[in-house]
Amino acid sequence: MESLFEQIERGTLWQFPGGIHPPEQKTLSNQAPIRQLPLPDKLVIPLKQHIGANGQLLVHVGDHVLKGQALTKPAGNWSLPIHAATSGVITAIEHRPSAHPSALPEPSIVLEPDGQDTWCALEPLAQYKDISKQQLVDKIHDAGIAGMGGAGFPTYVKASSQAEIDFFVVNGVECEPYITADDMLMREHAEQIVQGIEIMQHLLAPKYVLVGIEDNKPEAIAAMQKASAHNDKIFVRSVPTKYPSGGEKQLIKVLTSREVPSAGIPADIGVLVQNVGTLFAISDAVLRGKPLIERVVTVTGNTIKQSQNVWALMGTEIKHLLDSQKFEPVTAQRVIMGGPMMGFTLPTVRIPVVKTTNCILAPDNQELAEPNDEKACIRCSACADACPQTLLPQQLQWFAKGKEYQKLEEYNLFDCIECGACSYVCPSEIPLVQYYRVAKAEIREQKLEQIKAERAKERFEARKERLEREQEERQNRHKRSASRSTQSTQSKEKVAEALERVKNKKTPEKSAVEAAIARAKAKKAADGSLEPDNSAVALERAKRKEQARQYKAEKATDDSADKPKDNKAAVAAAIARAKAKKAAQQSDTDDVNTEKQATQTDASTDPRKAAVAAAIARAKAKKAAQNADQDEAPTETESIEDPRKAAVAAAITRAKAKKAAKETEQSDSSVSDSEPEDPRKAAVAAAIARAKAKKAAKEAEQSDEAVADSEPEDPRKAAVAAAIARAKAKKAAKEAEQSDEAVADSEPEDPRKAAVAAAIARAKAKKAAKEAEQSDETVADSEPEDPRKAAVAAAIARAKAKKAAKEAELAASEDNAEADIQTEIAQQSSEPEDPRKAAVAAAIARAKAKKAAKEAELAASEDNAEADIQTEQAKQSSEPEDPRKAAVAAAIARAKAKKAAKEAELAASEDNAEADIQIEQAKEDPRKAAVAAAIARAKAKKAAKEAQLKQESEEGNEPS
Ligand code: SF4
Ligand code: SF4
């Protein structure tokens, strides 16, 4: 099977679809050689005569230019220069009607020829093979050569193609009727055409050069064969006459059997096509240095009396051509630029000849009938049969009328070569090609608008992004500045708040300290005995308490936390008062002991003086005790009302107690120095104080007894002594009541119970005192005249008084025990968590109870001593006959009383020991220890009282 190249060498031709065979009418113009026209009066040279951009002007109006001088220079892609077709003067550069069916004005240079037709300096390149291809291409470019077949595509673009070219096709078909320009050019200038072919061969190096010429141009074929006979690569092929075989795609198909794809170009299939007129221009440009300034134009038609081809200068008005060829227009004369198939009717004959003008047809009315109004499509499909591009002209027409551009593109509108075959065959005389041309123009315009819109959109999007970015940056800057200002404001506020807190802390602290100092100064001024050291201690304690309250207030804790402090203050005050009373009692007892010891020494000489001295000493001691109680009363009130004052008062009281204790006995100072904060030390100190007090009481009792033993007998004095005893009993009851009140004061947890218990105790004590008073009064009313009876009555009265005092004391002790138990219970319910407090409270309660018991016992013992003295005096005065018996009986009674007292003291000491043990146990279980201690104390006191009552009853039964 032959290859394609073999087939081509053998002269095989192929057929293209469609096509028509209109009347050729070529003989009208091919019978005469090409004529050289005279110079026109003016040349109107459009700047754009090709496909592509305009060139940049090189001349100005008034410039004289030479023939062949460039008037413009290339200014962009596919831009070609234009040249002066003759020498002359540029008279105008203005818009003139264009060589377009619309004849829209376009920039043009009006050149008035000077008639000299003087050429500019030409630069031929005879040895073009010696220069580079680019230089050769530039030469072609500078010559301003464009496709002269009708498309006007820049030749230099094709000449510079880098694609591999198999077939360089020379289009010499000239299939359209009436046109014979190429035919005549080939006939007359075949050598130059072949030169042009060879220049392109040099540039493109095609395998084959195929020259296609319709078989209706045998002279041209012969000329070309002759001219190209030396070149074995050039094959001149006579193709069948059929319209539009001159079409690029159709000719490629005929000569090479290859088909250009849709929307493709011939270079895609290795084919490049050039018109014979273009090759002639390339030969002129390269070999003779002439730019494209003229071309062969067929001037034909029945109205042209001298139809022939002419060399027309670029810019020559059509009128000049017509006039030169004896144009005789007819009515409704039409002048068509191009052939009857693809040409367009000129709106005016002032349109210049351009590079693509190949024919001016001026037919008469019979030659080319005026087209009638189009009719409706009859769907005959004749248009489709005639279409060489195998399109559907009928469908394209509908879409074009409906401006369905998308559909037009889908139906390959742009594959239409506008051959006009469809229109030529349409029985409805539908100007199909005109529809397609308009549709193509609109689509191109739309695409240009779309491209502009896309570019505008891109610019808009870029601007929008830029604005958004700038706005975001501004917002971020604002946020950062706002956050910085907020942070600075917050920091300032925090600093201000901190300063305010510091001020608030300093202010109450200072005010509390100043208030404490003021109170201390006021008290110091009121009481001259207040020591400066004590006030300093009080101020320190007040300051510590104030700081503690501030800390608790800041922690927003409950105010109940202040109560224990109040309780502590009250407890401390109560402890201080108890110590003060105890010290006073000890001083009393010491005084009594001293006085009694002195009395004992003097008793042997003067028993009356000794008894009087002892009574005076007791009275002084009691008075001192009462003064101490009176001094403590306001302190207690203050401690209850204000914990600060109570603390200060407690400190003052402790100082007084210390002072008093130091004066009496240095050992007491150690007791008073022991702070109530340590329950062990307090308990030990209390035990020591109790032991000392009991010891002192016993010694005083012994001294009283000694005094009583030596007391003279006097009934009157006995009566007086009995009255004194009653008064003392009342006083003892009052002291017990006061002690109950003190106990009540030291019970802040449950004041109601303590108050009730104290009231009961006071009522019992008063009742007992009244009974004793009544019995004394009874005895006093029945004052005997007989000394014996009086002595007996006095003894009975003393026994009753002692009994009543003991009962009162017992009741008070019971009340105290109950109060202790209630206090312990209250402490258990309120403060179960702090064993130290419980132990301290238990020790305080025990100290108070014991103190009350001791005071009552001491008073009773003193009364007993006085009563014994008086009894003995009464006995001495009323029973002078047998003093020995009375003395013996009194001695026996005193011995028994001592024995009973010692037993009670032993029991009390045992109870105290048990209480101490229980205090120690209180560390582990303060509740049980406190309760057990209270019960033990109550039992011990009860046992002591019973023993004492038993002794008294025995004494009362003794014979006087
Ligand atoms: S003008 Fe277009 S549609 Fe009509 S026949 Fe020619 S190529 Fe086909
Ligand atoms: S040739 Fe004319 S009438 Fe026939 S189908 Fe085509 S457009 Fe319609």
Side-chain angles (χ1 to χ4, degrees):
M1 182 177 181
E2 290 182 336
S3 66
L4 176 63
F5 295 102
E6 293 173 349
Q7 292 178 17
I8 290 173
E9 289 177 356
R10 192 167 52 85
T12 303
L13 297 177
W14 290 265
Q15 295 293 325
F16 64 90
I20 59 176
H21 295 84
E24 296 180 357
Q25 300 293 339
K26 292 186 181 285
T27 56
L28 291 175
S29 59
N30 62 3
Q31 301 304 316
I34 301 172
R35 180 189 175 203
Q36 189 71 41
L37 291 178
L39 287 173
D41 298 336
K42 63 178 180 183
L43 296 174
V44 179
I45 307 171
L47 299 183
K48 182 172 183 277
Q49 302 178 33
H50 57 278
I51 295 175
N54 294 337
Q56 188 175 1
L57 280 172
L58 296 175
V59 294
H60 300 86
V61 176
D63 291 348
H64 183 271
V65 295
L66 298 176
K67 187 177 182 179
Q69 180 178 345
L71 301 178
T72 63
K73 63 178 182 180
N77 293 331
W78 296 5
S79 176
L80 293 176
I82 58 174
H83 301 81
T86 183
S87 60
V89 178
I90 304 299
T91 58
I93 300 175
E94 59 189 7
H95 284 76
R96 292 294 180 98
S98 62
H100 192 269
S102 63
L104 291 175
E106 59 183 1
S108 302
I109 296 175
V110 179
L111 174 63
E112 184 177 346
D114 57 3
Q116 303 298 319
D117 201 21
T118 306
W119 276 95
C120 65
L122 301 178
E123 296 179 357
L125 295 174
Q127 303 300 322
Y128 63 88
K129 294 182 179 178
D130 295 339
I131 62 175
S132 66
K133 291 183 179 179
Q134 185 60 45
Q135 289 176 332
L136 189 57
V137 170
D138 291 342
K139 187 67 175 179
I140 296 170
H141 191 188
D142 293 339
I145 301 171
M148 300 176 72
F153 193 81
T155 303
Y156 82 92
V157 176
K158 289 185 177 180
S160 61
S161 175
Q162 302 299 320
E164 184 179 357
I165 302 300
D166 295 330
F167 304 102
F168 180 72
V169 176
V170 178
N171 189 350
V173 176
E174 201 173 34
C175 61
E176 191 165 359
Y178 290 97
I179 303 175
T180 59
D182 290 342
D183 181 14
M184 294 307 295
L185 184 64
M186 287 187 286
R187 289 182 190 181
E188 296 180 5
H189 302 283
E191 293 80 6
Q192 294 180 3
I193 293 172
V194 172
Q195 290 175 351
I197 292 172
E198 291 176 345
I199 293 172
M200 293 301 292
Q201 275 187 300
H202 173 70
L203 292 173
L204 302 174
K207 295 178 181 177
Y208 296 96
V209 176
L210 301 176
V211 180
I213 304 172
E214 282 186 325
D215 53 7
N216 61 358
K217 305 175 185 68
E219 295 86 357
I221 294 173
M224 290 299 296
Q225 288 177 344
K226 181 181 179 181
S228 62
H230 66 279
N231 193 330
D232 57 353
K233 295 295 181 181
I234 300 174
F235 296 92
V236 179
R237 295 289 183 261
S238 175
V239 298
T241 301
K242 186 171 112 178
Y243 184 84
S245 58
E248 188 178 62
K249 295 181 181 178
Q250 283 70 37
L251 183 58
I252 293 172
K253 176 64 177 178
V254 169
L255 296 177
T256 65
S257 75
R258 293 182 179 178
E259 294 182 358
V260 178
S262 178
I265 59 176
D268 296 339
I269 57 174
V271 180
L272 195 147
V273 181
Q274 283 291 353
N275 181 265
V276 292
T278 306
L279 294 172
F280 177 85
I282 291 172
S283 174
D284 262 358
V286 174
L287 298 177
R288 286 170 287 277
K290 293 181 180 178
L292 182 58
I293 59 173
E294 61 182 355
R295 69 158 297 159
V296 179
V297 177
T298 302
V299 180
T300 186
N302 290 336
T303 60
I304 303 296
K305 298 303 177 187
Q306 190 178 349
S307 295
Q308 73 177 124
N309 290 285
V310 299
W311 287 102
L313 298 176
M314 302 298 175
T316 305
E317 292 181 344
I318 302 299
K319 183 178 183 302
H320 179 71
L321 271 68
L322 295 174
D323 293 342
S324 300
Q325 299 305 120
K326 301 178 181 176
F327 173 58
E328 295 178 357
V330 296
T331 305
Q333 179 65 53
R334 292 184 300 157
V335 178
I336 299 172
M337 182 175 281
M341 303 300 293
M342 300 181 67
F344 56 92
T345 303
L346 295 174
T348 175
V349 294
R350 292 294 181 181
I351 292 176
V353 173
V354 294
K355 297 175 183 177
T356 58
T357 302
N358 57 358
C359 178
I360 299 297
L361 176 60
D364 58 15
N365 295 329
Q366 289 76 29
E367 190 178 11
L368 285 178
E370 185 72 17
N372 299 319
D373 295 338
E374 68 173 83
K375 302 176 182 63
C377 174
I378 60 174
R379 302 181 184 274
C380 65
S381 73
C383 55
D385 294 338
C387 180
Q389 290 291 106
T390 62
L391 301 176
L392 297 174
Q394 177 189 0
Q395 300 298 326
L396 294 175
Q397 176 225 176
W398 291 114
F399 295 142
K401 287 181 178 178
K403 298 186 182 301
E404 298 180 46
Y405 302 131
Q406 185 68 27
K407 287 288 186 182
L408 287 171
E409 292 195 58
E410 290 177 359
Y411 280 78
N412 301 315
L413 173 64
F414 284 89
D415 286 344
C416 173
I417 60 174
E418 301 179 14
C419 65
C422 54
S423 299
Y424 183 82
V425 300
C426 179
S428 298
E429 301 185 39
I430 300 173
L432 297 173
V433 178
Q434 303 303 322
Y435 282 118
Y436 304 153
R437 288 174 178 167
V438 172
K440 286 182 178 180
E442 291 178 353
I443 290 172
R444 290 192 184 101
E445 187 69 20
Q446 192 179 55
K447 287 186 176 180
L448 289 175
E449 293 295 331
Q450 187 175 359
I451 291 171
K452 292 179 181 178
E454 289 178 354
R455 292 177 178 173
K457 185 179 179 181
E458 291 177 356
R459 290 195 298 271
F460 173 77
E461 293 293 338
R463 181 175 179 274
K464 184 179 178 182
E465 291 179 0
R466 179 175 57 81
L467 293 176
E468 290 177 354
R469 187 171 59 254
E470 291 176 355
Q471 184 177 4
E472 186 177 0
E473 291 175 355
R474 285 197 297 273
Q475 290 177 352
N476 292 332
R477 286 198 299 271
H478 293 327
K479 287 180 180 177
R480 286 195 293 270
S481 61
S483 63
R484 284 197 296 269
S485 62
T486 304
Q487 290 177 356
S488 63
T489 305
Q490 290 177 353
S491 61
K492 289 180 180 178
E493 290 178 353
K494 289 180 179 178
V495 170
E497 290 176 356
L499 292 174
E500 189 66 22
R501 285 197 299 271
V502 171
K503 290 180 180 178
N504 292 333
K505 285 182 179 178
K506 289 181 178 179
T507 303
E509 186 176 356
K510 288 182 178 179
S511 62
V513 173
E514 290 174 356
I517 293 169
R519 287 195 301 274
K521 289 181 178 180
K523 287 188 177 180
K524 183 178 180 182
D527 188 0
S529 63
L530 190 63
E531 295 295 331
D533 295 336
N534 295 334
S535 63
V537 173
L539 289 176
E540 290 178 356
R541 295 190 64 185
K543 186 176 180 179
R544 287 197 300 273
K545 289 184 177 180
E546 187 61 28
Q547 289 177 352
R549 276 197 295 276
Q550 289 295 328
Y551 176 77
K552 290 182 178 180
E554 290 178 356
K555 293 292 185 180
T557 55
D558 197 357
D559 294 338
S560 61
D562 293 334
K563 291 181 179 180
K565 291 186 176 297
D566 298 337
N567 297 335
K568 288 181 179 179
V571 169
I575 292 168
R577 289 194 301 273
K579 289 181 177 178
K581 288 180 180 178
K582 187 186 290 179
Q585 289 174 0
Q586 289 175 353
S587 64
D588 291 343
T589 53
D590 292 339
D591 293 339
V592 170
N593 291 334
T594 304
E595 290 174 0
K596 286 183 178 178
Q597 287 175 359
T599 304
Q600 282 180 344
T601 54
D602 297 337
S604 60
T605 57
D606 192 355
R608 292 182 180 179
K609 291 180 180 179
V612 171
I616 292 168
R618 287 196 300 275
K620 289 180 179 179
K622 290 179 180 178
K623 186 178 180 180
Q626 289 177 355
N627 292 331
D629 294 338
Q630 289 176 359
D631 293 336
E632 292 170 1
T635 305
E636 292 176 0
T637 306
E638 290 177 359
S639 66
I640 294 169
E641 293 176 357
D642 189 353
R644 297 179 184 178
K645 293 179 179 180
V648 174
I652 295 167
T653 305
R654 284 196 300 275
K656 288 180 178 180
K658 289 179 180 178
K659 185 178 180 181
K662 287 179 180 177
E663 291 175 351
T664 55
E665 186 176 353
Q666 293 180 352
S667 61
D668 293 339
S669 63
S670 61
V671 176
S672 61
D673 291 336
S674 61
E675 291 296 327
E677 287 76 12
D678 191 349
R680 295 181 180 180
K681 293 180 179 180
V684 172
I688 294 168
R690 287 196 300 273
K692 290 181 178 180
K694 287 180 180 179
K695 183 179 178 181
K698 296 301 177 185
E699 291 175 352
E701 187 176 1
Q702 290 175 358
S703 64
D704 290 342
E705 289 173 358
V707 172
D709 292 339
S710 60
E711 197 71 33
E713 296 179 357
D714 189 353
R716 293 179 181 179
K717 292 181 179 179
V720 173
I724 293 169
R726 286 195 301 275
K728 289 182 179 179
K730 289 180 181 179
K731 186 178 179 181
K734 288 181 180 180
E735 290 176 352
E737 185 177 0
Q738 290 176 354
S739 65
D740 292 341
E741 291 175 357
V743 172
D745 294 338
S746 64
E747 295 175 1
E749 289 77 13
D750 195 354
R752 292 181 180 180
K753 293 181 179 179
V756 170
I760 294 168
R762 287 195 300 273
K764 291 180 179 178
K766 288 180 180 179
K767 184 179 179 181
K770 286 181 180 179
E771 290 177 351
E773 186 178 3
Q774 288 176 358
S775 63
D776 291 339
E777 288 175 358
T778 304
V779 174
D781 292 340
S782 60
E783 192 71 28
E785 296 176 357
D786 190 352
R788 294 182 179 178
K789 292 181 179 178
V792 172
I796 295 168
R798 286 198 301 275
K800 288 182 178 179
K802 288 182 179 178
K803 184 178 181 181
K806 297 299 179 184
E807 290 177 352
E809 185 179 0
L810 180 61
S813 64
E814 291 175 354
D815 294 336
N816 291 332
E818 291 177 359
D820 291 341
I821 294 168
Q822 291 173 355
T823 302
E824 296 295 335
I825 293 169
Q827 290 176 352
Q828 291 170 8
S829 61
S830 61
E831 297 177 354
E833 293 81 5
D834 193 353
R836 292 185 177 181
K837 292 180 179 179
V840 170
I844 293 166
R846 286 195 303 274
K848 289 179 179 179
K850 289 180 179 178
K851 182 180 178 182
K854 294 296 179 184
E855 288 175 353
E857 186 179 1
L858 181 63
S861 62
E862 290 175 356
D863 293 338
N864 291 332
E866 291 179 355
D868 291 339
I869 293 168
Q870 291 170 359
T871 302
E872 292 299 330
Q873 290 176 353
K875 286 179 178 178
Q876 290 176 2
S877 61
S878 62
E879 295 178 358
E881 291 82 7
D882 194 356
R884 293 180 181 179
K885 292 182 180 178
V888 172
I892 293 168
R894 284 195 298 275
K896 291 181 178 178
K898 288 179 180 178
K899 183 179 180 181
K902 288 181 180 179
E903 291 176 353
E905 185 179 0
L906 181 60
S909 62
E910 291 175 355
D911 294 336
N912 291 333
E914 291 178 0
D916 293 338
I917 294 169
Q918 291 172 352
I919 288 168
E920 293 297 331
Q921 294 176 351
K923 297 174 183 177
E924 298 176 356
D925 191 352
R927 294 182 182 180
K928 294 180 179 178
V931 173
I935 294 169
R937 287 194 301 275
K939 289 180 179 179
K941 290 179 180 178
K942 187 176 180 181
K945 298 303 175 185
E946 289 176 351
Q948 189 172 4
L949 288 173
K950 184 179 179 180
Q951 180 184 359
E952 289 174 357
S953 63
E954 290 177 352
E955 290 177 355
N957 294 327
E958 286 179 1
S960 58

